[in-house]
Amino acid sequence: MQGGNESGTEIPVNLTASGNMTRQESEQDLKDFYIGLFLAIMSSLFIGTSFIFKKLGLMRLAKQTSNRAGAGGYGYLKEWMWWAGMILMTVGEFSNFAAYAFAPATLVTPLGALSVLVSAMLASRILKEHLNLLGKTGCLLCILGSTVMVISSPKEVEVANMKELKSMLVAPVFIGFAVLVVIIALVAIFYFVPRYGNKNVLVYITICSVLGSFTVMGCKGFGVAIKETFRGRNEFNNELTYLLLLVIIICILIQLNYLNRALDIFNTAVVTPIYYVFFTSSVIAASLILFKEWGNMTGDKILGDICGFAVIIVGIFLLNAFKDMSVTLANLPSVRKDSVPNGDLSHNNRDRELLLKNEETINMDSVTVTEYRDDSTRYDLN
């Protein structure tokens, strides 16, 4: 009976405690979700606007001096407009990094596409940059494709502490990925930049994107250190914390340098979406390798990644291949048929071809005489 009483009293209490804990955790998760959502949206607004301010500063500098950012100059550091954009971008990046601490990456990363829309709309209004219908369609496809890839990618494994993160960072697979990223960045900086930097936007964007994967991973690790410190375990005595901070600072400085060059030389409406696509893809790759979730993808997730990547390729092609063409809704072919029978739709074209076919040019003592023939009459000019 005593065991029965214990069973009858303790189990409901445990269930109640467990239910209360689950309810509290759900409420906390929902609160964190909305905080992360708000931070991600604000981040996109700040970053999208920052591109415009920085571009305005670079344009003002170009009118005053020939030492432009695209040529390796740093005169933009004296432009208050550029610094306004820099402050907006810094606030936006911090908001973005903070959003990762509250909301899953599958939510935060796709919302970064809002910065592309903000930048494109402001560039069209303020900078008067031309973005034709195919370019707009390409931007939309880039956003949709990247979003599909992020949604299809598996969620990150939660990192409980810095010790667990350290074990992930020293894994052979991630070390190999890190070495590959460094090699790509160095080859691009010392070989491709001097030769093709001012001709192909992908050179600068590639450098910013591959190093951006280090930046985000470093910020995630630094965020873990801050969380652990607030929970009572001081991780600022850990050398890994300062190593992550050093990686963040170095990568951000390099990214800003080459992103400024890209904005100075190329169209903002082209730089922004391509940078978003490449940056997002690099972050996804680094996240999958570091947190070892790439082996747990199901068939539908793999198919989603493939389809998303294909859509991105199409979007980039539309954005670059036809950027100089004037394509609008107004000059698209009409879907309305004229009231001409099917057999007579090309009547005028056939008459024109017949006239050109029957036209002959005869040279007579430096005088050109045109002879016209048809089936019924011949005009002999001899």
Side-chain angles (χ1 to χ4, degrees), residues 28-47 90-112 114 156 158 216 219-220 223-224 226-227:
Q28 184 63 39
D29 290 341
L30 186 61
K31 181 180 178 180
D32 290 344
F33 175 84
Y34 285 118
I35 293 175
L37 177 63
F38 174 77
L39 290 173
I41 294 175
M42 295 305 298
S43 169
S44 297
L45 293 175
F46 284 127
I47 293 176
T90 303
V91 174
E93 291 294 348
F94 273 112
S95 298
N96 187 56
F97 297 149
Y100 279 106
F102 293 96
T106 51
L107 170 70
V108 177
T109 308
L111 286 179
L114 293 177
E156 299 172 354
E158 291 294 333
V216 173
C219 288
K220 285 179 174 291
V224 172
I226 294 176
K227 278 186 175 181

Side-chain angles (χ1 to χ4, degrees), residues 220-263:
K220 285 179 174 291
F222 193 71
V224 172
I226 294 176
K227 278 186 175 181
E228 287 295 297
T229 301
F230 280 120
R231 290 173 181 173
R233 182 176 179 177
N234 186 9
E235 291 293 348
F236 283 91
N237 294 327
N238 191 340
E239 59 183 11
L240 180 59
T241 302
Y242 296 98
L243 177 61
L244 293 173
L245 182 59
L246 180 63
V247 169
I248 293 171
I249 294 174
I250 293 176
C251 290
I252 287 179
L253 291 176
I254 297 176
Q255 286 177 256
L256 289 176
N257 179 36
Y258 289 103
L259 184 59
N260 283 327
R261 296 192 184 189
L263 287 172

Side-chain angles (χ1 to χ4, degrees), residues 326-337:
S326 179
V327 181
T328 62
L329 288 174
N331 58 24
L332 288 179
S334 175
V335 297
R336 178 179 175 272
K337 289 184 177 181

